[in-house]
Amino acid sequence: QVALLVGVSTSKNAEVEIGIKVCPIGDASYLPNEVRVRLLDENGAEVGQASAGATQTIQFRFGGQPGERFSIEVACGNKTITENFVI
């Protein structure tokens, strides 16, 4: 089991700062080795990706403009969940 956390803050130049974190929940200290996370733009093109290995968390930080769309895809084994967002 993993949790997807999304944080949002504004910067001085009207750009929005986005923080994404995937971390284990329950009694686990580390993400399962097979966890993969992809950051996708509004057209579904990959703009970032990471695999867990033996890590405690996977994190992305990026900026965007209000109205922009992006997706986060979290996969583990043969299961994949995609969450869509609008800034």
Side-chain angles (χ1 to χ4, degrees):
Q1 294 180 340
V2 300
L4 171 63
L5 306 170
V6 179
V8 179
S9 63
T10 56
S11 65
K12 295 176 186 174
N13 62 1
E15 187 170 86
V16 178
E17 302 278 330
I18 308 291
I20 304 293
K21 182 176 181 180
V22 177
C23 56
I25 57 175
D27 295 334
S29 297
Y30 293 89
L31 290 168
N33 287 337
E34 61 271 11
V35 170
R36 296 176 319 281
V37 180
R38 296 189 329 138
L39 173 61
L40 309 171
D41 70 10
E42 61 188 26
N43 298 315
E46 182 180 289
V47 293
Q49 65 86 27
S51 297
T55 60
Q56 292 178 320
T57 63
I58 294 174
Q59 298 183 53
F60 289 101
R61 292 194 72 76
F62 58 96
Q65 298 295 321
E68 282 186 278
R69 298 176 183 272
F70 69 94
S71 300
I72 301 293
E73 179 183 280
V74 180
C76 186
N78 62 353
K79 299 198 187 289
T80 301
I81 296 173
T82 303
E83 294 291 338
N84 301 306
F85 298 92
V86 179
I87 298 175

